[in-house]
Amino acid sequence: QVQLVESGGGLVQAGGSLRLSCAASGNIFSINAMGWYRQAPGKQRELVAVIIRGGDTNYADSVKGRFTISSDNAKNTWILQMNSLKPEDTAVYYCNAVLLDRPGSLMWNYWGQGTQVTVSS
């Protein structure tokens, strides 16, 4: 079994910054993709940022230039640095991992428990 534990989040004024962290533990052989998603009330969960093993990154258009995702593959941790936050960034943020739990296994998709980010205007 694999667990993803998030930390960070909270309440911040518009223009401020927050840092979200995610740590994966358990039966992990390799993590192929580490990501962050968010879900605002009444909306579908959407991709915010993802970093692929090897370092390639992809961002939602709405956060490009403001958010940065980074990872420490040796520690199975990744971070979302969020700057210049806007009220529309308010949502529950979930970390996500696509991983193998042993050599040659299927890829498994795991989620963190979610952390609230609220940006006041």
Side-chain angles (χ1 to χ4, degrees):
Q1 193 57 276
V2 173
Q3 298 82 38
L4 302 186
V5 178
E6 300 163 1
S7 60
L11 174 64
V12 66
Q13 288 187 331
S17 298
L18 283 174
R19 179 182 173 102
L20 304 181
S21 299
C22 187
S25 63
N27 295 328
I28 299 171
F29 173 68
S30 69
I31 302 180
N32 287 24
M34 302 170 175
W36 290 94
Y37 289 71
R38 67 187 181 188
Q39 188 166 18
K43 294 188 177 181
Q44 289 189 330
R45 190 173 297 188
E46 63 175 359
L47 173 69
V48 176
V50 62
I51 184 165
I52 307 299
R53 190 174 183 83
D56 288 343
T57 58
N58 191 34
Y59 295 91
D61 287 343
S62 59
V63 308
K64 283 180 181 176
R66 300 188 297 122
F67 292 10
T68 302
I69 188 170
S70 60
S71 67
D72 184 335
N73 293 334
K75 296 181 179 180
N76 289 333
T77 58
W78 55 107
I79 289 169
L80 184 68
Q81 178 65 44
M82 305 184 292
N83 299 328
S84 302
L85 282 160
K86 303 176 181 180
E88 51 264 43
D89 294 318
T90 296
V92 177
Y93 284 69
Y94 299 89
C95 65
N96 171 265
V98 179
L99 58 87
L100 290 84
D101 59 5
R102 63 186 185 279
S105 75
L106 296 173
M107 282 195 286
W108 299 96
N109 196 29
Y110 285 92
W111 294 92
Q113 77 279 7
T115 186
Q116 177 69 45
V117 171
T118 303
V119 184
S120 63
S121 57

